[in-house]
Structures are given as C-alpha cells and as structure tokens.
Amino acid sequence: MRLVFMGTPAFAVPSLEALTAAGHQVAAVVTQPDRPRGRGKKPAPPPVKEAAQVLGLPVWQTERVREAGFVARLAGLQPEAIVVVAFGQILPREILLLPPAGCINVHASLLPRYRGAAPIHRAVINGEKETGVTTMFMDEGLDTGDIILQAALPIGPDDNVGVVHDRLARLGSELLVRTLELVAAGQAPRTPQDQALATYAPPLRPEDEVIDWTRPAAAIKNLVRGLDPWPGARTTLDGRVLKIWRVRVAEITRPDAVPGEIVAADPAVGILVRAGDGIVVVEELQMAGGKRLDGRAFLRGHRLQVGAVCGR
C-alpha cells in the first residue's frame, strides 16, 4: 500500500521498519520537530526521524498537523492509508477522512483499557499482569476507534517499563503488518469498543514520580519499576533528592517504624525502608548528581542514618 507514517518516539521505530520490510511504499514520514535533549539541551532529532533517514525515506516535521497548508500537502501524496504510532498530536477530521482506507493507529494497550498518553507506564504502575497492543481505525475521539486486531503480552512481576515498552514495540510492529494485509484485502474487522469498560492512562506528572511511603510495599515496588528507566521514582532524604530504581518486598515487618523510615543500612543486610504495610529493600538508587548504584556500592560511598525518614 501507499502509506504516510506518523510517529515520533522509539516505540514507533519497529513499526516503521516493519512496514518498509513488508514492501509497503512509505511516501513520507511525519514526526515532531527536533527537541532539546540531554544535559547540553541541544536540539536532537526524534528516533523516528533518525530511523527514516537510515531507510532513505522523506521526513516532514511539523508543530501542527492542523495547519491548512500541511493538510493540503499531505493530500497531495494521495496515501491509501495513514499509519499513526505514538505521534503525539491529535489528527483533525480533515486528515482522518483523507485516505480511502482510513487512518490506522497502533496503541500500546488492550483497548478500551488504558486509553491515553501513558498506557505502558500506567499498566506497570498499577501492577497489571497483562497488557498488549491494539490496532484500530482512528476516529475523532481519544483512542475510541473501532478495533481491528489485538495481541496480549504478559507482564512479569519484576519487569520494568523499559522491558515492557520494548516488547510491546516489537509486538505492535508485527500486529501492524498483519493489520495492513487485512486492510489491503478489504477484510479488516471493525469491532466497536465497549465504552463501559474504558479506562484512561493520562500523561505522567512530576508528582506521579514521588514515592508515598504510606502505600503498601507491593505498590511501591510497582511504582518504582513502572518509572524505570524513565522518568524514575524519587524521594527526599535530608533535603536531597534520591532516585529509587529497583526495590523488592522483604519478608519481614517493622511495625514500630514509621513509613519512610530507614530501618537498616548495612552492606550485609541492605537498605531497608518501612512501607505502609511492611518493608522494601532498596536494591538500586541514585543520589542527585551521582550515578545509579546497587545498594552495596551506594553504601560504600554514602552514609545512610538508620532512623532517618525518607520523604520529609
């Protein structure tokens, strides 16, 4: 098929690569403008732009797909379908109606659950044991279009969001190729979503990164792995920000301690912190301005006071 591909982050790259490998003609790749990145805040291209350049595909970057000039330019390509994977902008009705085969989206959840911008993070944070990918015909709603295909993926108890992200990106690319085969043959199903089952995955906010030590130990573990490797769960200790990258739930309790209290900080025992209903062992952490370290290495360079309370 003659396609236009719209996508921006790393999640979309396997889908773009799979389309070209499957023999589809990608007339243009539309992505977000270069953004400041890294400590130097120098403009850097989005991952999809980098991938498209390697594949030798024309790249269009725009702040607003709603601009009349852009819509007209897109129409000039005469795509049979437009494929959208984590693009980052809402498509107007004029674009949705443009291709005869429709606009097809790859969404990283089993819709209608986890509609919205952060479905992978939210699924891990919420302790889900399963997630997946959905392809759908786009409409003017937020991830409300008719479902074409779905594929499920288990989430392991220790999987972080980075692991789940990469698995879903690969699964999504495979599902997209199968979806376009059906669309090209005029055999793609259209299954309306059950609105009564819909849940939402709003964008992450800075306050979502803060560990609430009154929460159950299992919930704290899910938060930590649901924010690793980006943006990272955090707490404060003695006025300094401490990133927490990996924890496990301990089999012991310390009912005499308060939530957030450090009850042990010994290389032989580990860094133990009281949670709402038990103890978590902090296995990997990072002081502001420092490196990610495992608990033992951290204690060799930093002294943690037993009895100090995190989050105060």
Side-chain angles (χ1 to χ4, degrees), residues 252-259 261 263 274-279:
I252 60 174
T253 60
R254 275 291 300 274
D256 57 312
V258 299
E261 183 177 340
V263 298
R274 172 75 152 87
D277 67 347
I279 299 290

Short mmCIF file of all heavy atoms in Angstrom, two decimals, residues 252-259 261 263 274-279:
data_model
loop_
_atom_site.label_atom_id
_atom_site.label_comp_id
_atom_site.label_asym_id
_atom_site.label_seq_id
_atom_site.Cartn_x
_atom_site.Cartn_y
_atom_site.Cartn_z
N ILE A 252 10.05 -9.46 56.04
CA ILE A 252 9.98 -9.06 57.44
C ILE A 252 9.12 -7.82 57.60
O ILE A 252 8.77 -7.16 56.62
CB ILE A 252 11.39 -8.78 58.00
CG1 ILE A 252 12.05 -7.64 57.20
CG2 ILE A 252 12.25 -10.04 57.96
CD1 ILE A 252 13.37 -7.18 57.77
N THR A 253 8.75 -7.51 58.81
CA THR A 253 8.00 -6.29 59.11
C THR A 253 8.68 -5.56 60.27
O THR A 253 9.45 -6.14 61.03
CB THR A 253 6.54 -6.62 59.50
OG1 THR A 253 6.56 -7.46 60.66
CG2 THR A 253 5.82 -7.33 58.37
N ARG A 254 8.38 -4.28 60.37
CA ARG A 254 8.86 -3.47 61.48
C ARG A 254 7.74 -2.52 61.90
O ARG A 254 7.74 -1.34 61.57
CB ARG A 254 10.09 -2.67 61.06
CG ARG A 254 11.41 -3.41 61.19
CD ARG A 254 11.81 -3.67 62.65
NE ARG A 254 11.94 -2.43 63.37
CZ ARG A 254 13.06 -1.69 63.41
NH1 ARG A 254 14.14 -2.09 62.76
NH2 ARG A 254 13.10 -0.59 64.10
N PRO A 255 6.75 -3.04 62.61
CA PRO A 255 5.59 -2.22 62.98
C PRO A 255 5.94 -1.04 63.87
O PRO A 255 5.15 -0.09 63.98
CB PRO A 255 4.66 -3.21 63.70
CG PRO A 255 5.55 -4.33 64.13
CD PRO A 255 6.62 -4.43 63.11
N ASP A 256 7.10 -1.06 64.51
CA ASP A 256 7.50 0.05 65.38
C ASP A 256 8.02 1.25 64.60
O ASP A 256 8.15 2.35 65.14
CB ASP A 256 8.57 -0.41 66.37
CG ASP A 256 9.79 -0.99 65.68
OD1 ASP A 256 9.60 -1.82 64.77
OD2 ASP A 256 10.91 -0.60 66.02
N ALA A 257 8.37 1.06 63.31
CA ALA A 257 8.91 2.15 62.50
C ALA A 257 7.78 2.89 61.79
O ALA A 257 6.67 2.38 61.63
CB ALA A 257 9.90 1.59 61.48
N VAL A 258 8.08 4.11 61.35
CA VAL A 258 7.09 4.90 60.62
C VAL A 258 7.36 4.76 59.12
O VAL A 258 8.49 4.47 58.70
CB VAL A 258 7.14 6.39 61.02
CG1 VAL A 258 6.83 6.55 62.51
CG2 VAL A 258 8.49 7.01 60.68
N PRO A 259 6.34 4.94 58.26
CA PRO A 259 6.56 4.85 56.82
C PRO A 259 7.66 5.80 56.34
O PRO A 259 7.69 6.97 56.72
CB PRO A 259 5.20 5.23 56.23
CG PRO A 259 4.22 4.82 57.28
CD PRO A 259 4.90 5.12 58.58
N GLU A 261 10.83 5.32 57.08
CA GLU A 261 11.99 5.24 57.99
C GLU A 261 12.99 4.20 57.51
O GLU A 261 12.62 3.08 57.15
CB GLU A 261 11.52 4.90 59.40
CG GLU A 261 12.65 4.86 60.42
CD GLU A 261 12.16 4.60 61.83
OE1 GLU A 261 10.95 4.81 62.10
OE2 GLU A 261 12.98 4.17 62.67
N VAL A 263 15.30 1.47 58.31
CA VAL A 263 15.43 0.58 59.47
C VAL A 263 16.72 -0.23 59.43
O VAL A 263 17.09 -0.87 60.41
CB VAL A 263 14.20 -0.35 59.58
CG1 VAL A 263 12.93 0.47 59.79
CG2 VAL A 263 14.06 -1.23 58.35
N ARG A 274 10.83 1.25 55.74
CA ARG A 274 9.46 0.89 56.14
C ARG A 274 8.47 1.43 55.13
O ARG A 274 8.52 2.59 54.72
CB ARG A 274 9.17 1.48 57.52
CG ARG A 274 7.72 1.35 58.00
CD ARG A 274 7.40 -0.07 58.43
NE ARG A 274 6.37 -0.11 59.45
CZ ARG A 274 5.05 -0.14 59.21
NH1 ARG A 274 4.62 -0.13 57.96
NH2 ARG A 274 4.19 -0.20 60.20
N ALA A 275 7.56 0.59 54.66
CA ALA A 275 6.46 0.98 53.80
C ALA A 275 5.17 0.98 54.62
O ALA A 275 5.19 0.80 55.84
CB ALA A 275 6.36 0.03 52.61
N GLY A 276 4.05 1.15 53.94
CA GLY A 276 2.79 1.24 54.67
C GLY A 276 2.41 -0.05 55.36
O GLY A 276 1.79 -0.03 56.43
N ASP A 277 2.79 -1.20 54.77
CA ASP A 277 2.39 -2.48 55.37
C ASP A 277 3.55 -3.44 55.52
O ASP A 277 3.35 -4.64 55.64
CB ASP A 277 1.30 -3.13 54.52
CG ASP A 277 1.82 -3.55 53.15
OD1 ASP A 277 2.94 -3.13 52.77
OD2 ASP A 277 1.12 -4.32 52.45
N GLY A 278 4.78 -2.95 55.44
CA GLY A 278 5.92 -3.87 55.55
C GLY A 278 7.21 -3.15 55.24
O GLY A 278 7.37 -1.96 55.52
N ILE A 279 8.12 -3.87 54.60
CA ILE A 279 9.46 -3.36 54.34
C ILE A 279 9.80 -3.55 52.86
O ILE A 279 9.49 -4.59 52.27
CB ILE A 279 10.52 -4.11 55.19
CG1 ILE A 279 10.24 -3.92 56.69
CG2 ILE A 279 11.93 -3.66 54.84
CD1 ILE A 279 10.50 -2.52 57.20
#
